[in-house]
Amino acid sequence: MRDLEKFRDPGIARALIKEIRNLAARATKRLGRRAVFMEVCGTHTVAISRAGLRGLLGDYLDLRSGPGCPVCVTDYGDVDRMVKFARLSENVTVGTFGDMVRVPGSDSSLERERAMGADVRIFYSPADAVRYAADNPGREVIFLGVGFETTAPAVALAIKDAKARQIKNFSVFITHKLVPPAMEVLLSDPGLKVDGFILPGHVSAIIGRKAYSFLEGYELPSVITGFEPNDILDAIRLILKMMLEGESRVVNGYSRVVREDGNRIAQQQMADVFAVCDASWRGFGVIPRSGMTMNAGFKDLDATERFSLPPVAPRVPAGCACGDILKGKLIPRDCRLFAKACDPRRPVGPCMVSSEGACAAYYQFERHLKGVTAVE
Ligand code: SF4
């Protein structure tokens, strides 16, 4: 059997689900409640919803989404700054990855600014934005660096390229974030009970298994895994087994992609261009050493240095529960606006916009499932 078929094979999936249900029933007996596992990564949230795993396992396990959707955790103030960049002048182009365009800020979004005449463009890679700047020297191109350790190396490479080619009309607004510090904040929150983590595949390919060794101090079994249904099921099975056997290791279940030390070349690209700094996350506030800023040698390509913007006092949309959903305290159906005042056509918060957002995934694949209660 070829690998891809194995990861999607229905016979293997059935056997895994049966084993998970047996193990989870034992865990429930021991805990007096269903075990709560958090999928940290937004791509896992979507994969779990699309494959119907929450429905198949919901009576046995509580699967919670975490802070792993990069667009969703981008803070209100940063979205407002992006809108202000788009309004700077008719000679400005704001370049971004697709999902960011529709995220509502306090009084507008990039999509709305584009409809009113601003030049907001979707680039499929930061290198395309550098190319666009080189081809259009009369325009100021501001690229929005959004995402975790996964996208940051490509943005770093583009910044180095623009610097080396002396492309003076290119700059980047950096909102990149680091996943492990946000997990540490979650673990220190007494209002959240998580029994195990399903760890991201893409981020882990860059940072490596070792980057999660801090989890072992919390006695939480955790598994790095891929995105096919059987990858995720096998990770859940392993976490349950570790729980029941009193083990709390961080297991690399995605060894076809993830190495112990991660991708050293990508890490070096980031270190060349970025320094670690405090960063503001939607729902979390400021998390120490969880973001990136440009190193001194690249400050001339930092959009916040090049353009002075007035301070922004963001307005949080009333009733939106994105912050608590990103912390795993609520699920999308707990938000009173879900599928009523907020849906993918009229999103109130980013979790309904992003292709990796929990609300969008629940809306598309799970809105007819019966309710699952919040973490006690
Ligand atoms: Fe925010 Fe909409 Fe999700 Fe509610 S349903 S948390 S308003 S994005």
Side-chain angles (χ1 to χ4, degrees):
M1 189 181 292
R2 284 185 302 149
D3 265 0
L4 197 60
E5 289 165 358
K6 190 173 84 186
F7 303 130
R8 292 176 179 170
D9 180 78
I12 295 175
R14 269 193 292 276
L16 283 167
I17 288 167
K18 195 168 169 201
E19 189 177 351
I20 287 169
R21 286 176 171 175
N22 286 334
L23 293 169
R26 283 171 55 202
T28 303
K29 211 175 220 176
R30 186 178 292 181
L31 295 169
R33 57 167 171 79
R34 288 174 305 154
V36 181
F37 295 165
M38 175 179 281
E39 80 269 4
V40 176
C41 166
T43 314
H44 278 146
T45 295
V46 177
I48 287 169
S49 292
R50 184 186 291 122
L53 302 186
R54 238 181 292 272
L56 287 165
L57 301 174
D59 288 342
Y60 301 82
L61 283 172
D62 188 348
L63 294 174
R64 296 272 156 164
S65 305
C69 159
V71 167
C72 307
V73 295
T74 301
D75 202 23
Y76 293 102
D78 286 335
V79 179
D80 288 345
R81 262 185 286 273
M82 293 170 187
V83 166
K84 286 197 184 306
F85 280 128
R87 289 174 180 166
L88 270 174
S89 103
E90 59 184 21
N91 291 327
V92 165
T93 296
V94 170
T96 180
F97 299 125
D99 282 353
M100 205 63 234
V101 168
R102 296 190 66 220
V103 174
S106 296
D107 65 354
S108 186
S109 65
L110 290 171
E111 184 178 57
R112 192 178 301 173
E113 294 303 311
R114 183 168 60 184
M116 291 192 296
D119 188 21
V120 176
R121 285 169 194 261
I122 293 168
F123 290 106
Y124 292 102
S125 82
D128 288 346
V130 175
R131 206 170 302 124
Y132 181 80
D135 292 344
N136 295 275
R139 301 199 64 75
E140 274 291 343
V141 178
I142 303 170
F143 186 75
L144 307 178
V146 176
F148 298 115
E149 293 91 334
T150 333
T151 47
V155 173
L157 201 61
I159 291 168
K160 283 167 87 173
D161 182 39
K163 178 95 178 168
R165 292 163 60 194
Q166 298 191 6
I167 299 172
K168 303 285 186 200
N169 61 325
F170 177 79
S171 60
V172 180
F173 176 51
I174 296 292
T175 69
H176 285 299
K177 295 185 171 54
L178 305 169
V179 169
M183 292 179 65
E184 292 209 71
V185 169
L186 282 176
L187 290 167
S188 64
D189 185 335
L192 181 74
K193 177 72 202 130
V194 172
D195 301 298
F197 282 114
I198 300 167
L199 294 171
H202 298 141
V203 164
S204 305
I206 305 296
I207 65 177
R209 191 207 68 88
K210 260 202 216 158
Y212 302 102
S213 29
F214 68 92
L215 283 176
E216 284 161 8
Y218 292 93
E219 299 186 353
L220 276 173
S222 304
V223 176
I224 299 167
T225 194
F227 302 95
E228 297 297 339
N230 291 352
D231 282 325
I232 297 167
L233 287 169
D234 199 43
I236 293 170
R237 181 187 67 85
L238 268 171
I239 297 170
L240 279 165
K241 276 195 83 166
M242 284 194 275
M243 254 185 89
L244 292 167
E245 286 162 14
E247 281 189 69
S248 54
R249 289 177 295 125
V250 177
V251 173
N252 181 5
Y254 199 29
S255 57
R256 62 188 191 275
V257 172
V258 176
R259 304 280 169 269
E260 186 68 4
D261 293 316
N263 182 331
R264 289 272 175 81
I265 296 170
Q267 290 166 16
Q268 190 58 53
Q269 293 295 347
M270 289 193 282
D272 288 347
V273 176
F274 301 131
V276 173
C277 66
D278 299 348
S280 190
W281 295 54
R282 190 180 301 249
F284 287 72
V286 174
I287 303 180
R289 300 187 57 74
S290 68
M292 297 184 207
T293 185
M294 299 244 204
N295 278 332
F298 294 93
K299 282 285 183 201
D300 52 326
L301 281 93
D302 185 339
T304 51
E305 300 271 326
R306 190 175 296 181
F307 307 98
S308 57
L309 294 179
V312 184
R315 220 167 8 120
V316 180
C320 175
C322 279
D324 281 337
I325 288 168
L326 291 164
K327 286 163 136 175
K329 290 188 170 180
L330 297 177
I331 62 168
R333 276 191 302 272
D334 296 327
C335 173
R336 61 188 166 82
L337 306 184
F338 178 75
K340 295 181 188 106
C342 179
D343 65 31
R345 281 177 302 121
R346 299 160 301 149
V348 175
C351 298
M352 190 58 93
V353 174
S354 172
S355 57
E356 297 186 357
C359 298
Y362 272 65
Y363 185 90
Q364 190 175 357
F365 302 109
E366 301 190 34
R367 67 183 187 275
H368 303 301
L369 291 179
K370 68 182 162 76
V372 178
T373 52
V375 184
E376 294 91 36

